[in-house]
Amino acid sequence: MQFIETRGNDGQRPLCVPFSDAILNPMSSFGGIYVPESLPQLGLPFLEEHLDSDYKTLARAVLDAYEIDIDAEVIDAALSRYDDFDDPANPVPVVKVTDNLYVSELYHGPTRAFKDMALQPFGVLLSSLAQSREEHYLIMAATSGDTGPATLETFKNRANVKVACLYPDGGTSDVQRLQMVTEDADNLKVIGIHGDFDDAQSALKSLLSSETFRAKLKEKQTHLSAANSVNFGRIIFQQIYHIHSYLELVRQGAIELGEKIYLNVPSGNFGNALGGYYAMKMGLPVMKILISSNSNNVLTELINTGKYDLRERSVIATSSPAMDILKSSNVERIFYDLYGAERTKELMLSLDNDKYYELTTEETARLQSIFCADYCNDKEVNRYIKQAFDNGYLMDPHTATCFKSHDSCREKALKSIVYSTAEWTKFSPTIANALTGEVDTHDIDALKSISEVADTPIPALISELFDKPIAQGAVIDKENIESEILSFLE
């Protein structure tokens, strides 16, 4: 399997690269990113073959279908990270909530959020590659709250890698922040910035594309890579749980093999939705992918109108902060697949330079044939959290946005899989407010309140955070990110 560039080739880079090169150097010509040259075709025979497979067996089969240039023993070591999840035999439980709505719980890993599904094995792959090449890497990550903890967890104390993690100060939950700033491994650097996630992600992409920054790293005998979903090493693992969740519905007798379903994704940076799109293209029976947003509803506007307009917009702080994003990186990979490299380059550069682009009527129709979108404001989020809890299901605010799309976007009474991206513990003040009316509650008090109301324990991984010392206190202006990172590498 070879990987090619979303914005075409600049004549300075290879026309295509293997998987290992694409994940070690994720940025491509003209500021683009890598996509597979073609997708494996799996189809119903593959699904039937894996009806009784456990998660790791299914994952190995999907990776084998990609024919990636990673040694088998390294792949097995990477997939063994799922053994650290709550239930190694089934790291992704799929739970029935109503007759037509099932929730795929992606948060049963070490940081209690869906980013563990991709980042725990990804860390093993990248570190192993660095060691095999006798190279040293700086792994950069920008986070709206979940990528950071998962990146730090997978890379801490790994050989040949250091991590610089950027997060918006004040833009995450207390639990998410504590998961980052209490990490004390020598190869980790956590940097809070004055700004929002888009500022952090823009800084990351700027440094990844900067020849000057790379030259400074080269002086320190260090290469540069990224843990965000601009890196296809993330996306390849995010396809697997969509296939697993579909098979779970078949196993539970909810659907017949081959029956179409809806995939319903709370979406900020579009990586989760992209994984579902690729699974659909590889043969998963999907009617449509529902894109659920909060009040930062640029994706809703894109899919419903064909316009992506940031000219008069700034990020709105919501109760689902991991989706407080305006520039969604993985839309680019969808555009490449639908419209080709030349048009993708034109659209992405227009967004970078003018904060705006508009699809043609035909392009919009193609997008709408695959995706449907709606958004959910904070008041509606609270209502859906309370409604689900009264029916016996406890969920976080990101998952709640999907319940709105489930009500508004389905054209047929088919089964829907909602992807729950975080455990209730990550956003407890919002949930406590929805369930009990409490306001301005600190995380630790809200956790205790929910634990009592829901008669469920607080996981030790979460409760222990509040007693751990702060090891990473840096909060800086975004203009100082490069110097802060270079100082860390000293």
Side-chain angles (χ1 to χ4, degrees), residues 120-427:
Q120 297 313 313
F122 172 73
V124 176
L125 292 189
L126 202 148
S127 176
S128 296
L129 282 173
Q131 291 176 70
S132 68
R133 298 184 180 202
E134 297 183 346
E135 295 174 339
H136 291 266
Y137 278 81
L138 169 67
I139 313 301
M140 288 195 62
T143 185
S144 55
D146 287 331
T147 290
T151 300
L152 299 167
E153 173 67 26
T154 193
F155 282 112
K156 67 182 180 184
N157 297 317
R158 289 201 180 276
N160 294 53
V161 292
K162 290 187 175 182
V163 175
C165 176
L166 311 176
Y167 73 95
D169 183 45
T172 70
S173 74
D174 284 349
V175 166
Q176 290 171 317
R177 181 182 60 82
L178 287 172
Q179 285 180 317
M180 292 184 281
V181 299
T182 58
E183 288 283 12
D184 61 357
D186 289 341
N187 68 325
L188 307 179
K189 178 67 175 179
V190 178
I191 304 170
I193 66 165
H194 300 301
D196 55 36
F197 171 75
D198 284 334
D199 293 322
Q201 181 166 251
S202 294
L204 175 139
K205 293 175 85 171
S206 175
L207 290 174
L208 287 174
S209 302
S210 169
E211 294 302 324
T212 303
F213 184 57
R214 286 182 180 274
K216 291 176 182 177
L217 293 183
K218 188 174 182 181
E219 293 175 2
K220 302 177 186 300
Q221 298 180 319
T222 299
H223 300 270
L224 182 62
S225 189
N228 279 63
S229 57
V230 295
N231 195 316
F232 201 85
R234 279 269 304 274
I235 301 301
I236 200 168
F237 289 106
Q238 289 185 262
Q239 298 162 50
I240 298 161
Y241 54 70
H242 292 286
I243 301 170
H244 162 82
S245 299
Y246 180 92
L247 291 174
E248 274 292 291
L249 289 198
V250 177
R251 294 176 191 126
Q252 294 178 25
I255 60 172
E256 298 290 331
L257 187 66
E259 185 178 338
K260 288 190 174 183
I261 63 170
Y262 290 98
L263 308 182
N264 191 334
V265 180
S267 192
N269 220 16
F270 220 75
N272 199 344
L274 177 70
Y277 173 74
Y278 281 152
M280 178 182 179
K281 288 209 66 179
M282 290 190 290
L284 194 68
V286 174
M287 176 62 70
K288 273 192 176 181
I289 301 170
L290 312 185
I291 303 302
S292 303
S293 298
N294 59 25
S295 293
N296 295 288
N297 57 347
V298 287
L299 294 173
T300 308
E301 291 181 359
L302 169 65
I303 292 164
N304 291 341
T305 70
K307 298 177 182 178
Y308 208 113
D309 190 353
L310 305 183
R311 289 173 295 188
E312 302 296 329
R313 297 194 67 151
S314 57
V315 172
I316 300 167
T318 74
S319 63
S320 47
M323 295 152 61
D324 291 351
I325 296 170
L326 293 181
K327 294 184 73 171
S328 299
S329 293
N330 282 292
V331 170
E332 178 164 346
R333 288 185 166 116
I334 299 289
F335 283 179
Y336 172 83
D337 199 67
L338 295 180
Y339 315 133
E342 184 175 349
R343 179 61 169 154
T344 300
K345 179 185 175 185
E346 179 183 357
L347 292 167
M348 293 299 100
L349 291 180
S350 179
L351 186 64
D352 289 341
N353 297 329
D354 304 324
K355 296 186 176 183
Y356 177 82
Y357 62 73
E358 183 172 353
L359 304 179
T360 66
T361 302
E362 294 78 13
E363 289 169 342
T364 303
R366 289 191 69 184
L367 195 65
Q368 291 173 346
S369 71
I370 301 160
F371 300 99
C372 181
D374 201 352
Y375 75 98
C376 191
N377 64 38
D378 285 358
K379 186 175 180 180
E380 292 170 318
V381 162
N382 274 19
R383 186 172 73 245
Y384 280 111
I385 290 172
K386 182 65 164 64
Q387 186 181 83
F389 181 74
D390 289 344
N391 290 323
Y393 192 73
L394 180 61
M395 64 180 175
D396 90 300
H398 304 78
T399 308
T401 65
C402 295
F403 281 55
K404 170 86 174 286
S405 300
H406 178 80
D407 287 343
S408 65
C409 281
R410 292 177 305 138
E411 299 168 2
K412 297 181 180 179
L414 302 179
K415 301 293 190 295
S416 284
I417 297 177
V418 163
Y419 290 89
S420 184
T421 54
E423 187 179 62
W424 64 271
T425 56
K426 303 294 286 283
F427 305 98

